[in-house]
Amino acid sequence: MTKEHGRSRSDAGTGGPRARRVTVAHPKTLAAIGSNERGDWHTPAHEDLGQQTALGDIYLRSLMRSQLRLGLGIVSVLVLVLGALPYLFLMTPALRDGTLAGVPVAWLVIGVAVYPVILTLALFCVRQARRNERDFVDLIDRS
């Protein structure tokens, strides 16, 4: 028989004094969700998302559409940039036939210069995805 707040587990159904439930969380977490002592931080939009209502589905689909649009845009830019390289080498004999320190320029462009472009696109994608999610949270908080 273990003791919890002065009662044993066997006394749980006897109608004795019940201990008050306490939420243990970091103060910043409570401030972020706008919690008060009773824990009434849910707004109707939060409930729509949690209960998977039709309105909550609309909110989630709008977030997924914006993330899909962002992803397709990033992939399109990447395909255009990487797809244009063979045509660039074909149309520019100096790039196709040139060498720099004994290494063909085409290899340098493909092997070195492409990666900063990919990194820039990745950073842009992450920043925009976070912005989309922040806008979604703002939309939920406003409603």
Side-chain angles (χ1 to χ4, degrees):
M1 182 163 41
T2 61
K3 292 282 188 179
E4 292 180 31
H5 301 289
R7 325 184 299 216
S8 67
R9 283 191 182 168
S10 61
D11 295 340
T14 61
R18 295 198 42 103
R20 184 171 174 244
R21 290 186 62 135
V22 177
T23 302
V24 179
H26 192 274
K28 286 185 180 179
T29 303
L30 293 174
I33 61 174
S35 179
N36 58 20
E37 282 187 24
R38 295 181 320 208
D40 295 336
W41 60 273
H42 288 285
T43 61
H46 286 110
E47 290 174 6
D48 285 332
L49 289 174
Q51 295 174 358
Q52 298 180 348
T53 63
L55 182 59
D57 288 342
I58 291 171
Y59 284 139
L60 286 176
R61 274 194 304 250
S62 72
L63 173 64
M64 291 188 324
R65 268 194 312 267
S66 65
Q67 297 291 47
L68 177 64
R69 196 170 30 251
L70 172 65
L72 290 175
I74 295 293
V75 168
S76 300
V77 170
L78 185 63
V79 165
L80 285 174
V81 168
L82 295 181
L85 287 178
Y87 296 112
L88 178 69
F89 295 141
L90 182 66
M91 298 298 169
T92 313
L95 287 176
R96 182 180 60 222
D97 300 330
T99 60
L100 183 65
V103 179
V105 174
W107 286 18
L108 289 173
V109 170
I110 292 171
V112 177
V114 167
Y115 291 104
V117 173
I118 293 172
L119 180 64
T120 303
L121 285 173
L123 292 174
F124 177 76
C125 183
V126 168
R127 194 179 102 215
Q128 291 300 108
R130 286 182 180 161
R131 192 194 78 187
N132 285 345
E133 291 169 1
R134 190 175 52 246
D135 291 347
F136 175 74
V137 170
D138 290 344
L139 174 68
I140 296 301
D141 287 341
R142 280 190 310 225
S143 56

